[in-house]
Amino acid sequence: MKIKALLIATGLSVLGMSSAMASPNMPHSEPWTMSEWLEAKNNMPEGDIIRGEKLANDGYCYSCHGVGGNNPTQATPSLAGQNATYTYKMLKDYQSGRFIVDHKSDVMVNLVKIYNDQDLADMAAYFAAQELPYAQYIEKEVDVAPEIVRLVAKGDPSRMIVPCASCHGAHGEGGMNETPALTNLSPRMFIRHMEAYRDGTRHNDVMSGMAQFAKDLTDEEIQQLADYYAQLKPRGVE
């Protein structure tokens, strides 16, 4: 583990300097087929929370994602409270080259290669065991148009857009398996990734599960959805 930590500590400084140039030449793997992902999910090891905490600390995950995966900045996503299957899949996506959006992906693409599936499952279990943060990116509540609330709850049949809540939960708490929680997601991260889905530069969603719905969203809709989820209260929060 000391070797792993040394590799990570050394790699962070090197990758930080070279990342702006690396992505255009990095190979992209083909997106998951449904059968490939189901096989990977079924073979996901059972995670060990205690071992996952040690791996996360030894790997300096907190330097980008915050202590316990709770990141108060908008530079990188919080991992606390995300379901383990989602985090495991994202780590596998980085590892396989399926998730390379831009140069900001380079650090993770390179660092995650040193871990095996058990390591990934353990870290995913650790972050899943942490409390889901709430509204840490909102200085004051933002009014969201009624059309956006309907889009979340009812979808838009005219554009074949299903309700966001049907997969991500009525309170943005996330769904089963690899569907992430959206409550407390920083607006900047939400916008960045929704635009990537819409524009076709993010393609790690199985069977274009997100891209097919994001492709018709306007910039204004994406912005308002970002505001909606950033201030949405998780289930049980008054």
Side-chain angles (χ1 to χ4, degrees):
M1 184 52 60
K2 290 182 178 179
I3 295 175
K4 287 186 176 180
L6 178 61
L7 285 170
I8 292 173
T10 305
L12 281 172
S13 60
V14 174
L15 291 169
M17 292 185 291
S18 63
S19 62
M21 299 180 290
S23 289
N25 298 319
M26 293 185 73
H28 289 236
S29 296
E30 289 298 314
W32 293 99
T33 65
M34 181 61 74
S35 61
E36 286 173 337
W37 166 240
L38 289 176
E39 181 180 3
K41 182 175 68 173
N42 290 336
N43 290 331
M44 175 182 169
E46 182 177 353
D48 183 319
I49 295 173
I50 295 175
R51 184 171 183 271
E53 180 178 16
K54 186 176 189 308
L55 284 166
N57 288 334
D58 288 348
Y60 303 101
C61 298
Y62 55 80
S63 65
C64 292
H65 296 285
V67 176
N70 188 351
N71 181 17
T73 79
Q74 292 200 51
T76 54
S78 287
L79 304 177
Q82 285 289 1
N83 76 67
T85 309
Y86 169 74
T87 301
Y88 179 80
K89 179 182 179 295
M90 285 299 302
L91 293 171
K92 292 286 288 182
D93 289 344
Y94 279 121
Q95 194 177 64
S96 65
R98 287 183 170 93
F99 186 52
I100 306 175
V101 174
D102 54 30
H103 70 274
K104 297 176 184 178
S105 307
D106 293 345
V107 170
M108 283 298 300
V109 168
N110 285 275
L111 294 184
V112 79
K113 290 177 181 178
I114 66 175
Y115 297 109
N116 60 37
D117 285 353
Q118 185 65 62
D119 296 334
L120 302 185
D122 291 344
M123 287 187 284
Y126 164 65
F127 288 119
Q130 310 310 304
E131 185 175 351
L132 186 68
Y134 164 56
Q136 62 185 11
Y137 302 109
I138 297 295
E139 295 180 2
K140 61 179 181 179
E141 287 198 7
V142 179
D143 290 333
V144 175
E147 303 82 60
I148 297 300
V149 178
R150 281 198 299 272
L151 189 63
V152 171
K154 303 292 185 181
D156 184 351
S158 69
R159 292 184 287 175
M160 301 294 288
I161 297 176
V162 302
C164 307
S166 65
C167 292
H168 296 280
H171 296 266
E173 69 273 25
M176 296 176 62
N177 300 319
E178 69 272 15
T179 306
L182 298 181
T183 182
N184 190 61
L185 186 62
S186 82
R188 189 165 74 185
M189 295 299 298
F190 185 98
I191 292 168
R192 176 189 174 213
H193 289 292
M194 288 299 288
E195 288 179 344
Y197 277 128
R198 183 184 64 183
D199 302 339
T201 53
R202 175 170 177 170
H203 47 79
N204 65 316
D205 50 333
V206 180
M207 303 296 291
S208 300
M210 270 303 303
Q212 63 182 312
F213 303 124
K215 65 183 179 64
D216 293 324
L217 294 176
T218 66
D219 289 344
E220 178 63 21
E221 286 173 327
I222 290 175
Q223 176 65 64
Q224 290 212 32
L225 283 168
D227 293 335
Y228 174 86
Y229 278 112
Q231 62 195 19
L232 182 65
K233 293 181 180 180
R235 191 182 302 277
V237 174
E238 299 296 330

